[in-house]
Amino acid sequence: DGGITQSPKYLFRKEGQNVTLSCEQNLNHDAMYWYRQDPGQGLRLIYYSQIVNDFQKGDIAEGYSVSREKKESFPLTVTSAQKNPTAFYLCASSADRGRTEAFFGQGTRLTVV
Amino acid sequence: GQQVMQIPQYQHVQEGEDFTTYCNSSTTLSNIQWYKQRPGGHPVFLIQLVKSGEVKKQKRLTFQFGEAKKNSSLHITATQTTDVGTYFCAGRGDYKLSFGAGTTVTVRA
């Protein structure tokens, strides 16, 4: 089946630890996105990538890092510099550099204790 | 930078009634997309509007793109319990796909 896969679904980490969220797609999409979702704040863009080996900061990139070494993979690292990392993280991809619909993964709910 | 705002944030609707949610952008958009997220789920694409003044219908849902391509609306007629969820608009500019805060819809039977 073609799609976009995020893992794990739930993740718990201690404060001060870096954690990497996985996002893989087999849709052959060029564009990939990471969003953070908090109650009442919609989807806020963290990072996006239009092509392999290139990515840009979104609206809330501080405390996060990404890489795009392969077309199908766009992992997100939540660093210890992120002051409030507990949230629901959504990865998405789209063909044609965002001119078409975005497909979302199931999301990863990160809890930092 | 580009900002997409949605109102209202919450919409409580009696089953069978109509309602409208509105989306406004601070900049002109190349296109506007609408998504629905069911409780506990992830956003799912509903529709994309590209042309100025464009109107599209999906059964009881009517989507409209403003003439200036800076605003959009979603109108739902005869609301059903299956319409429960959060509706997001998303605008594309400079390859970014920016989402509004969403309108969360609850339905009273």
Side-chain angles (χ1 to χ4, degrees), chain A residues 30-84:
Chain A
D30 287 316
M32 296 189 75
Y33 310 84
W34 273 106
Y35 293 91
R36 169 179 171 142
Q37 186 171 30
D38 297 284
Q41 296 198 48
L43 303 175
R44 293 185 289 168
L45 183 64
I46 305 173
Y47 270 97
Y48 61 106
S49 168
Q50 297 299 319
I51 199 168
V52 175
N53 292 322
D54 188 43
F55 50 83
Q56 286 79 41
K57 293 182 179 180
D59 301 314
I60 56 164
E62 185 176 350
Y64 300 97
S65 66
V66 294
S67 63
R68 187 83 188 275
E69 297 176 0
K70 298 186 296 182
K71 188 175 185 177
E72 57 270 22
S73 180
F74 191 41
L76 173 74
T77 297
V78 184
T79 75
S80 56
Q82 169 50 233
K83 294 179 181 179
N84 186 20

Side-chain angles (χ1 to χ4, degrees), chain B residues 46-71:
Chain B
L46 293 176
I47 209 161
Q48 174 171 281
L49 305 172
V50 179
K51 299 178 182 177
S52 170
E54 188 171 12
V55 178
K56 288 188 177 180
K57 292 188 176 183
Q58 286 182 350
K59 297 182 180 179
R60 296 178 295 101
L61 278 61
T62 301
F63 304 85
Q64 187 167 5
F65 203 7
E67 294 290 340
K69 300 183 74 173
K70 295 179 72 173
N71 58 74

